[in-house]
Amino acid sequence: MANALNDLTITEARRLLVERKISAVELTKACLARIAATEPRLNAFITVCEKEAALQAEDADRCLSAGDAPPLCGIPIALKDILTVRGVRATCGSRILENFVPPYDATVVARLRSAGAVFLGKTNLDEFAMGSSTENSGFGPTLNPYDLRRVPGGSSGGSAAAVAADQCLAALGTDTGGSIRQPAAFCGVVGLKPTYSRVSRYGVVAYASSLDQVGPLAKSAADAALLLAAIAGADPRDATCSARPVPDYTAGLAGEIAGVRLGVPREYFGEGIDPEVRARVEAAIKALTAMGAKPVEVSLPHTRYAIAAYYLIATAEASANLARYDGVRYGVRAGADNHLDLYRRSRSRGFGAEVKRRIMLGTFALSAGYYDAYYLKAQKARTLIRRDFLDAFERCDLIAAAVSPTTAFGLGEKTSDPLTMYLSDVFTIAVNLGGLPALALPCGYDGRGLPVGLQLIGPAFSEELLLRAGHAYERCGFSRRRPAAL
Amino acid sequence: MARLEIDSALVERVARLARLELTEAEADRLKTELAEIVDYVGQLDELDTSTVSPTTQVSESGTPMREDEAQPDPAGAEILAGAPEREGRFFKVPRIVE
């Protein structure tokens, strides 16, 4: 059980709120106090919405007292600053948008709003979600709550650190190549990347549209289930969004995992994985096996091509998506007396180094003379990578692996070499290329006390089974250690 | 495929397409970094994809159709308020036509 109100899980807080043992205002105040006390060091937030949050909490208390409380009524949540909230600055971690105030709510934000959630603020990220450490933010890096000399992972590093540090009860992030799961693993929290199309992308500032997906970062699988249920489902404003009905994920937690065939891909346990990470993940697989899951060896033979395919496809899509930053309708504008200079100067002033690098790489991959050899080749490789998963899921129900080959790395350790940073995404990226759901779960700590993440990958639309397995794993005795560094 | 040399002319051409104005130092650095990344992604050449079709999207919904109906947007003024330069109801741009 938690010590302070902000330490609570959503599930615990919900019960106390409904029984009127605590108020939403008290709960929100506890989070805001924790934010005020820890932010100077952590830098998890770009914008804190104290006034708006207090008003939302008062509204929530009125609903709770009237006995008419929607599922997340009064629950304080943090939002990655790539999701739009009407009237609240949305920077995407970029100086090009430092004064951009969106005139509309993202669909996920509107849904959380109608579910009664309280928005504490907007969390830090790598600029336009491009990065694996949150060091690419135009607003300074977020630090890892377990060791302030290390990164929280990225790109949803602010959301992961905020949940780990109990600044909020849960958060939303986005995952294009691992951006929910890897920071969740580095910060020892639960992170779910839903199936592509499960959650609307309307109001999610686009990075790579065929890969981007919104999902929860939370303190338990049960909390992730509550959040996913609130945000998932068809949206007329996102044509790619699936019309499949949204299951009751919370009810689904109760089932058994006995007999679930757990695929262990040999390509994910070979060279390059830290021995301590490997040991913790293997122990987690044993624990699931002890509960009745059946391990089976599987192979994903094209795994080694995933990073190459991803960094061509994602950057190509990014180069098109980021063409909208032209200094005309929003964002930074540099002085110029013709339109070409206006575009060039505004973009060059507003974008950071990694964003420019990815725009350059993507533009190259799409340009005449190189399109077939790079972009088209990557899309074909994507087909092979996707097929690997379809083949593997003939033999198993879920796949188990590490989230990341290492625990959190040091600040500045990989910033001088972009390719080394890209290679750290080796275990998360193929999932996005396949459009699959995957759950990151804390599964232990290395010798330095840094969290290790277990990744469970499922077939499309298997979130119910993923969350059930995650919930079962949590019940078998693993408990989250609160970060001591703060 | 023959190993591709990323030279300054290619970096300049791509920057022009991408509407980026790079300083000399930025262009030099990108030349080295892009060369390294392009070299790495070149490993895709090992794959025989002669009979493989490309994946452009993984969503199962295809392209849903709907009526093309105009909907009033109440946030018109808010949208315009975000523009760095505007005049009346318009976004302001430099002169394009002489």
Side-chain angles (χ1 to χ4, degrees):
Chain A
M1 190 61 196
N3 306 313
L5 294 184
N6 52 297
D7 295 347
L8 294 168
T9 63
I10 298 178
T11 312
E12 291 162 349
R14 168 80 182 168
R15 187 170 48 77
L16 296 171
L17 285 166
V18 169
E19 291 170 0
R20 301 312 286 144
K21 292 194 171 136
I22 62 169
S23 72
V25 168
E26 287 171 319
L27 182 58
T28 293
K29 276 191 180 155
C31 291
L32 290 171
R34 177 70 174 163
I35 291 170
T38 50
E39 260 314 86
R41 281 165 295 163
L42 204 57
N43 196 33
F45 283 82
I46 291 176
T47 306
V48 178
C49 304
E50 290 182 37
K51 281 183 194 149
E52 297 91 331
L55 289 172
Q56 284 179 301
E58 285 171 24
D59 281 347
D61 275 328
R62 276 189 287 275
C63 293
L64 285 155
S65 296
D68 175 27
L72 297 173
C73 195
I75 302 296
I77 305 256
L79 300 165
K80 186 179 184 178
D81 201 17
I82 199 164
L83 306 169
T84 60
V85 177
R86 185 173 186 176
V88 178
R89 179 173 80 135
T91 69
C92 298
S94 182
R95 289 291 170 187
I96 209 165
L97 289 178
E98 68 184 318
N99 297 312
F100 173 60
V101 178
Y104 69 107
D105 277 346
T107 294
V108 292
V109 169
R111 287 188 181 164
L112 287 184
R113 210 187 271 289
S114 51
V118 171
F119 302 137
L120 293 168
K122 308 293 292 293
T123 56
N124 200 8
L125 67 156
D126 288 296
E127 184 175 3
F128 289 106
M130 297 181 190
S132 312
S133 69
T134 315
E135 291 167 293
N136 294 334
S137 170
F139 299 81
T142 297
L143 309 185
N144 189 309
Y146 285 86
D147 179 345
L148 300 176
R149 293 158 305 177
R150 291 175 186 274
V151 303
S155 66
S156 310
S159 288
V163 175
D166 295 303
Q167 292 179 326
C168 55
L169 272 61
L172 290 188
T174 59
D175 192 316
T176 305
S179 282
I180 289 174
R181 289 161 288 155
Q182 185 253 24
F186 280 13
C187 293
V189 300
V190 175
L192 176 66
K193 184 249 166 218
T195 307
Y196 183 80
S197 80
R198 180 68 294 182
V199 178
S200 167
R201 291 180 294 110
Y202 178 76
V204 183
V205 177
Y207 160 23
S209 305
S210 81
L211 303 161
D212 295 342
Q213 198 52 199
V214 184
L217 293 106
K219 298 175 193 178
S220 71
D223 283 7
L226 285 169
L227 281 170
L228 181 63
I231 62 173
D235 178 12
R237 287 172 158 150
D238 174 1
T240 61
C241 197
S242 172
R244 286 190 187 223
V246 178
D248 183 341
Y249 296 114
T250 300
L253 295 173
E256 283 288 313
I257 63 153
V260 169
R261 295 167 304 164
L262 201 58
V264 183
R266 65 177 82 94
E267 293 82 2
Y268 282 62
F269 289 87
E271 217 177 305
I273 184 168
D274 178 278
E276 284 195 84
V277 169
R278 183 183 170 138
R280 298 299 180 288
V281 170
E282 285 174 344
I285 293 170
K286 279 210 182 88
L288 287 163
T289 308
M291 283 181 278
K294 301 255 176 291
V296 276
E297 197 178 310
V298 295
S299 176
L300 300 165
H302 296 96
T303 298
R304 57 181 295 240
Y305 301 103
I307 290 175
Y310 173 87
Y311 278 98
L312 290 168
I313 292 169
T315 59
E317 293 183 16
S319 74
N321 274 327
L322 273 67
R324 74 192 63 184
Y325 303 102
D326 56 9
V328 174
R329 288 154 301 162
Y330 33 66
V332 163
R333 178 183 184 114
D337 53 14
N338 67 74
H339 69 288
L340 272 180
D341 281 344
L342 170 68
Y343 300 158
R344 288 195 199 116
R345 288 179 196 163
S346 301
R347 292 161 64 76
S348 300
R349 190 199 289 177
F351 290 142
E354 181 61 25
V355 171
K356 287 181 188 170
R357 192 178 295 127
R358 294 199 192 190
I359 290 174
M360 288 288 288
L361 181 59
T363 304
F364 161 76
L366 289 173
S367 65
Y370 302 108
Y371 180 96
D372 285 358
Y374 292 94
Y375 180 61
L376 191 63
K377 186 77 182 180
Q379 287 185 310
K380 290 177 176 177
R382 183 175 187 180
T383 303
L384 297 173
I385 290 159
R386 192 161 178 237
R387 252 185 229 163
D388 280 356
F389 282 110
L390 295 176
D391 291 345
F393 286 125
E394 296 281 316
R395 305 188 53 223
C396 64
D397 304 300
L398 295 177
I399 288 172
V403 175
S404 169
T406 66
T407 52
F409 46 85
L411 286 159
E413 200 178 309
K414 300 192 180 190
T415 42
S416 61
D417 182 1
L419 187 57
T420 309
M421 186 74 88
Y422 298 172
L423 296 178
S424 67
D425 301 335
V426 58
F427 295 154
T428 49
I429 251 171
V431 164
N432 299 76
L433 293 170
L436 304 173
L439 181 67
L441 290 163
C443 70
Y445 300 86
D446 72 4
R448 298 192 195 91
L450 299 170
V452 176
L454 166 71
Q455 178 173 220
L456 297 174
I457 304 166
F461 300 100
S462 66
E463 284 86 354
E464 212 176 349
L465 177 59
L466 281 171
L467 290 162
R468 182 193 305 158
H471 184 63
Y473 177 69
E474 286 169 351
R475 275 179 309 176
C476 79
F478 175 77
S479 60
R480 203 168 74 86
R481 248 186 245 168
R482 291 207 150 73
L486 285 164
Chain B
M1 190 198 336
R3 237 178 109 98
L4 175 73
E5 169 136 21
I6 305 271
D7 57 15
S8 301
L10 182 57
V11 170
E12 203 179 300
R13 185 186 139 204
V14 174
R16 199 165 53 240
L17 288 171
R19 304 287 186 254
L20 289 172
E21 191 175 72
L22 302 174
T23 64
E24 214 169 298
E26 276 180 318
D28 272 352
R29 209 178 142 179
L30 275 166
K31 189 172 76 171
T32 314
E33 289 167 348
L34 291 179
E36 198 190 352
I37 297 165
V38 169
D39 186 51
Y40 176 82
V41 300
Q43 66 174 294
L44 294 179
D45 286 346
E46 295 164 19
L47 294 171
D48 177 6
T49 52
S50 50
T51 59
V52 180
S53 50
T55 295
T56 51
Q57 65 153 328
V58 293
S59 147
E60 57 184 5
S61 56
T63 307
M65 305 297 279
R66 62 167 168 78
E67 292 304 314
D68 184 17
E69 286 166 347
Q71 284 173 12
D73 194 326
E78 281 175 75
I79 291 169
L80 210 57
E85 285 185 37
R86 58 190 173 272
E87 203 171 291
R89 296 184 298 112
F90 302 100
F91 296 113
K92 201 171 170 184
V93 293
R95 175 185 278 280
I96 290 169
V97 184
E98 289 302 326

